[in-house]
Amino acid sequence: MCGIVGYLGNRNATPIILEGIKRLEYRGYDSSGLAIIDGNKNLKIFKESGKIVELERALPGPDETYGTIGIAHTRWATHGEPTKINAHPHTDSQKRIALVHNGIIENYQLLRKKLEEEGHSFESETDTEILVHLIEHFCLEEVSLTDAVRQACKLVEGTFGIAVINRDNPNEMIAARRGSPLILGIGNDEFFVTSDVSAIIIHTKRVIYLQDNEIVTIHRDGFEITNLENERIDAKISEVDWDVSSIEKGNFKHFMLKEIFEQPISVQNAFRGRLMEKLSTVRLGGLMMNGNELKKIKKIQIIGCGTSWHAALIGKHIIESRARIPVEVEYASEYRYKNPIIPENTLVFVISQSGETADTLAALREAQARGATVMGITNTVGSTIARESDAGVYIHAGAEIGVASTKAFTSQVTVLTLLAILLGRMNHLSPTYGATFIKELRSIPGKIEKILEMNDLIREIAESIKDYTNALYLGRGVNFPVALEGALKLKEISYIHAEGYPAAEMKHGPIALIDENMPVIAIALKDAIYDKIISNLQEVKARNGKIITIATEGDKVVKKFSEHVIYIPETMHILQPLLSVIPLQLLSYHVADLKGLDVDKPRNLAKSVTVE
Ligand code: G6P
């Protein structure tokens, strides 16, 4: 959601924190701001509404913005509109203390009332401003800023990742978290705080992932971590294994396009080291379950949101058909409130690219509270979901910056497919099937590359549909969730209304919408239900629908009724989604780009939704 960056060191903080929030802009981008303390102990605040470039434009010259301590924020509005006044940093009554905040203060109205009774007055509509006034309330002469933050954190309900500075002490920064990610970066004689490592890895890869209710006090020569009870915490320093290139666009126009093109590698990274040729099976060591434990699983629940939920639907199809274990897929936001039933021997998975999605995290906690073992499938090492799950599997997709998820999706599907084969081989799948699967999975990255070579053709097709206002995506079986994902991609970044439907279900409703103004994007691959989907497409054709078909190489039939055909290589049925989704990702990308839209930062969306 919002992004936070703070710096304390010997260099000028402003360009560092500004560059840092730009790297986090994909998380929230409706307003931004920064605060620095200059050499004369002046606290200077700069804020703007709109994208960070607006803030950058509004900044005065370097002399006016020089300071070796600073905090910055890019916002995705929750309380109060994305105006300049509501942008962070917020300050206390005396404009001594500045604070940036990621999260939601749930009891802010109660706190606001109490503070108003004490004489505090507020400029903004945000919950965050209450927090900085609360810190001011505790920050009396004999109380350190750390203790004031500690007292305030104790009173606050909700989630926060904060960074705080006080103009009276330009040698100190305080950061604290509960529920929202916060990371301390340790450089050479300099320190960083951030909500996401991608903001700081060009400066340092040595980090500490703060835990809930921890407070770090940073000085120029070191730091100390304590908890709400003022006990000292010995935290582990981790080394981030991301390459700096993973957070750069390189020669690509957008991160989304770069990430689509990374899929031959990211899919490989998802299965690397997990295929056991000798036993014709797979290994998922992160689950930390032995064969006996795995064999006891009678039911699986997979919980997620958005694209992760679509990956889960594919996982359900493959696990049920190959491992014969019933799978329930749940929206995290629904699961937590529906009094979920978790029978004995159920294994619960939460799936989340970011590892920070608030609803998914709440579902994880609910399942654990009901005694379930919960596995995390996530991309983000050190994320809250990774830490709170009982065990789990990383998808190793690398940094995903484009708001519309692409490579994380194929990596999630890869991991779920591995899970299906692992469980299937323990039940009834033969070694021959296992061996065929491994061989075929190894060929998938090369096949994705072949599809990516059709980029220009797909751009031409995008040109032909970019002015429509609706689109229908059809698929069957394992490709039905791919149709849902294709439709979601189009809506997210091109703002064209799109729906995904199981092809045969179309005649029970959406067929009424079909005419020459409704492009239909159909996945019709050669498999057991191919003939069925061809009949469904004939029904579309008979009503003048404009059909774009994703078909298997060599299929001549589909040409007869399709306006455009995108041919993809043949593969095993259960691996089809890893190929069929690629042209749909490219199609959405090009439609949005041709419409001149901001592909990586679509309106109203955020990469990681850390509020309910
Ligand atoms: C947001 C993003 C989506 C993402 C969803 C779930 O809505 O815009 O791209 O699929 O959150 O995110 P997660 O990080 O939990 O996979």
Side-chain angles (χ1 to χ4, degrees):
M1 235 62 214
C2 309
I4 292 176
V5 184
Y7 175 81
L8 176 57
N10 302 319
R11 294 188 278 162
N12 184 6
T14 300
I16 296 171
I17 56 180
L18 194 63
E19 169 69 23
I21 54 168
K22 274 199 208 157
R23 292 195 188 277
L24 301 189
E25 201 174 13
Y26 69 100
R27 297 187 139 243
Y29 34 80
D30 54 35
S31 50
S32 60
L34 63 85
I36 51 125
I37 306 172
D38 72 9
N40 298 319
K41 292 194 175 178
N42 294 310
L43 177 65
K44 293 181 172 170
I45 311 254
F46 306 94
K47 305 187 201 187
E48 279 306 318
S49 62
K51 298 205 166 144
I52 295 173
V53 58
E54 305 298 336
L55 173 68
E56 205 172 11
R57 276 196 204 119
L59 284 181
D63 292 349
E64 286 294 298
T65 57
Y66 187 87
T68 55
I69 177 168
I71 53 178
H73 188 265
T74 174
R75 179 165 184 249
W76 190 91
T78 54
H79 290 77
E81 284 180 32
T83 57
K84 188 167 170 174
I85 284 200
N86 288 336
H88 303 208
H90 288 285
T91 51
D92 65 334
S93 316
Q94 298 171 58
K95 310 259 177 281
R96 279 192 311 149
I97 303 169
L99 172 143
V100 287
H101 167 226
N102 183 6
I104 287 191
I105 310 298
E106 282 161 8
N107 58 341
Y108 84 102
Q109 269 159 332
L110 187 76
L111 294 171
R112 182 176 178 134
K113 201 160 159 265
K114 283 192 180 155
L115 288 163
E116 276 169 348
E117 280 162 15
E118 276 179 24
H120 290 257
S121 61
F122 298 95
E123 291 172 2
S124 77
E125 304 156 293
T126 65
D127 51 340
T128 303
E129 197 183 359
I130 277 75
L131 187 50
V132 68
H133 280 254
L134 192 61
I135 293 169
E136 176 187 30
H137 163 88
F138 288 113
C139 202
L140 306 168
E141 208 142 281
E142 64 282 10
V143 179
S144 69
L145 184 59
T146 308
D147 281 330
V149 169
R150 195 183 336 272
Q151 296 307 324
C153 290
K154 281 185 182 172
L155 284 189
V156 157
E157 284 166 20
T159 57
F160 55 83
I162 54 172
V164 192
I165 54 177
N166 180 346
R167 71 162 190 224
D168 296 340
N169 187 358
N171 300 316
E172 181 182 77
M173 179 181 300
I174 317 294
R177 70 155 274 175
R178 181 191 300 152
S180 300
L182 206 64
I183 295 148
L184 170 70
I186 305 161
N188 292 328
D189 298 327
E190 58 184 6
F191 298 94
F192 306 82
V193 291
T194 180
S195 49
D196 183 329
V197 283
S198 58
I200 59 166
I201 60 167
I202 56 163
H203 303 293
T204 182
K205 290 188 174 181
R206 295 180 70 221
V207 299
I208 291 176
Y209 296 98
L210 292 184
Q211 310 289 323
D212 276 354
N213 295 315
E214 288 183 354
I215 302 171
V216 58
T217 308
I218 308 164
H219 291 119
R220 291 191 182 272
D221 54 0
F223 63 89
E224 187 185 42
I225 301 175
T226 51
N227 61 16
L228 290 187
E229 281 67 52
N230 200 9
E231 293 156 343
R232 220 190 137 123
I233 309 285
D234 279 326
K236 183 174 144 264
I237 299 180
S238 311
E239 193 79 23
V240 179
D241 61 1
W242 286 0
D243 197 25
V244 175
S245 67
S246 68
I247 55 158
E248 306 280 356
K249 269 196 290 230
N251 292 328
F252 289 94
K253 186 170 174 191
H254 293 103
F255 277 109
M256 182 180 176
L257 190 62
K258 174 182 176 240
E259 287 155 8
I260 292 173
F261 272 80
E262 278 172 354
Q263 289 175 107
I265 296 166
S266 54
V267 165
Q268 203 165 354
N269 286 341
F271 67 70
R272 192 192 302 281
R274 291 171 170 166
L275 303 180
M276 296 172 77
E277 250 87 12
K278 274 198 187 135
L279 296 173
S280 302
T281 187
V282 306
R283 162 178 53 204
L284 291 172
L287 294 180
M288 299 205 278
M289 289 174 85
N290 62 31
N292 271 337
E293 289 165 324
L294 287 167
K295 273 184 91 74
K296 282 191 191 134
I297 300 170
K298 293 278 172 288
K299 186 173 182 173
I300 287 174
Q301 292 179 343
I302 315 178
I303 308 165
C305 306
T307 289
S308 295
W309 185 78
H310 291 158
L313 287 180
I314 295 173
K316 169 183 167 73
H317 191 100
I318 300 174
I319 295 166
E320 288 187 340
S321 72
R322 293 299 172 268
R324 310 299 297 153
I325 296 173
V327 181
E328 282 172 2
V329 174
E330 303 271 3
Y331 282 118
S333 52
E334 293 295 320
Y335 186 85
R336 54 184 299 203
Y337 293 115
K338 72 168 218 179
N339 200 2
I341 301 170
I342 313 178
E344 224 177 304
N345 296 324
T346 299
L347 190 59
V348 177
F349 285 86
V350 288
I351 183 162
S352 169
Q353 185 285 128
S354 61
E356 300 293 350
T357 302
D359 285 323
T360 312
L361 183 59
L364 179 161
R365 290 174 179 159
E366 180 58 29
Q368 279 177 337
R370 286 167 190 260
T373 302
V374 184
M375 300 288 167
I377 299 178
T378 177
N379 192 27
T380 315
V381 177
S383 62
T384 312
I385 287 178
R387 285 186 293 102
E388 293 199 13
S389 306
D390 295 294
V393 188
Y394 283 115
I395 62 169
H396 299 305
E400 189 180 69
I401 311 275
V403 165
S405 181
T406 51
K407 64 174 180 171
F409 174 76
T410 43
S411 297
Q412 289 171 332
V413 171
T414 305
V415 162
L416 287 166
T417 310
L418 293 177
L419 177 67
I421 299 302
L422 169 67
L423 296 172
R425 284 284 290 118
M426 289 192 165
N427 291 326
H428 64 278
L429 283 185
S430 68
T432 317
Y433 187 93
T436 311
F437 167 79
I438 289 178
K439 186 159 171 272
E440 191 52 33
L441 181 59
R442 286 200 186 284
S443 76
I444 289 290
K447 291 180 177 176
I448 296 178
E449 259 164 32
K450 269 190 95 178
I451 301 171
L452 294 172
E453 283 166 16
M454 284 182 280
N455 189 34
D456 291 347
L457 166 74
I458 296 172
R459 191 168 176 92
E460 278 169 32
I461 300 173
E463 181 72 61
S464 77
I465 63 164
K466 73 175 199 321
D467 296 321
Y468 288 97
T469 47
N470 292 289
L472 183 63
Y473 283 70
L474 300 177
R476 294 192 73 154
V478 76
N479 283 304
F480 162 53
V482 178
L484 291 178
E485 175 60 10
L488 178 67
K489 287 288 87 86
L490 194 72
K491 306 189 246 231
E492 281 179 313
I493 57 170
S494 71
Y495 318 141
I496 294 175
H497 170 249
E499 278 191 72
Y501 247 82
E505 193 61 21
M506 179 191 63
K507 57 184 171 293
H508 300 292
I511 199 163
L513 300 170
I514 288 175
D515 61 14
E516 63 284 2
N517 296 317
M518 173 70 102
V520 174
I521 296 106
I523 307 164
L525 301 178
K526 281 278 171 68
D527 58 20
I529 45 175
Y530 169 77
D531 290 339
K532 305 272 175 211
I533 197 160
I534 295 299
S535 322
N536 303 142
L537 295 183
Q538 306 279 15
E539 293 157 11
V540 175
K541 184 68 187 167
R543 284 152 188 90
N544 290 328
K546 182 184 172 116
I547 304 175
I548 297 165
T549 310
I550 314 296
T552 308
E553 274 172 0
D555 180 346
K556 296 203 176 69
V557 177
V558 290
K559 264 193 175 161
K560 292 183 197 147
F561 53 79
S562 308
E563 199 114 342
H564 302 279
V565 182
I566 303 169
Y567 286 108
I568 65 172
E570 195 160 5
T571 187
M572 279 170 98
H573 179 70
I574 59 165
L575 292 172
Q576 283 176 356
L578 293 175
L579 302 183
S580 57
V581 76
I582 310 285
L584 303 188
Q585 295 170 342
L586 281 172
L587 192 66
S588 309
Y589 169 78
H590 288 300
V591 168
D593 186 41
L594 287 165
K595 288 177 84 160
L597 298 170
D598 191 346
V599 175
D600 285 333
K601 300 186 210 75
R603 70 182 179 208
N604 304 340
L605 297 179
K607 182 73 185 156
S608 148
V609 182
T610 51
V611 293
E612 273 185 45

